[in-house]
Amino acid sequence: MDGSFVADPHAYELFLQLELVEHHTTKVRRPQSNEFVERLHRTLLDEHFRIHGSKKRYETVGEMQKNLDVYLLHYNTKQLHQKRNMN
């Protein structure tokens, strides 16, 4: 791990070990290796940003984040999903 996204890579690795989290990376420019995240990104783009972005002009990132948080709450708690790979 090169630490590009983490202030202290050693603390990050220690945290992962303590929480028993397996850390995996994906290949660059290979969406098939991360298909669930890619699908979420597509859903967010299609169902949220294109709809709300056409109705409202966001003045700040915080304003956009608030709107996204409301959508994600709905998406994660109210919207029906296929039960694929849900353990």
Side-chain angles (χ1 to χ4, degrees), residues 22-35:
E22 279 188 49
H23 183 232
H24 300 276
T25 58
T26 60
K27 294 180 180 175
V28 176
R29 291 181 179 70
R30 184 122 173 97
Q32 299 89 341
S33 62
N34 204 6
E35 63 196 51

Side-chain angles (χ1 to χ4, degrees), residues 3-82:
S4 356
F5 299 108
V6 181
D8 183 355
H10 301 294
Y12 177 71
E13 292 295 334
L14 179 60
F15 171 78
L16 292 178
Q17 287 177 1
L18 290 172
E19 295 296 320
L20 304 175
V21 174
E22 279 188 49
H23 183 232
H24 300 276
T25 58
T26 60
K27 294 180 180 175
V28 176
R29 291 181 179 70
R30 184 122 173 97
Q32 299 89 341
S33 62
N34 204 6
E35 63 196 51
F36 295 107
V37 173
E38 293 295 329
R39 181 64 197 143
L40 175 62
H41 288 172
R42 176 67 186 266
T43 299
L44 289 173
L45 182 63
D46 290 346
E47 295 181 11
H48 177 68
F49 287 112
R50 286 190 177 141
I51 294 168
H52 290 283
S54 66
K55 294 179 185 174
K56 176 178 174 79
R57 179 183 165 104
Y58 296 103
E59 300 295 327
T60 65
V61 173
E63 194 178 342
M64 184 185 287
Q65 184 65 55
K66 262 189 200 174
N67 199 260
L68 177 61
D69 290 342
V70 169
Y71 173 77
L72 287 174
L73 181 64
H74 168 78
Y75 180 83
N76 288 320
T77 61
K78 308 276 190 261
Q79 187 168 322
L80 295 176
H81 300 280
Q82 292 179 357

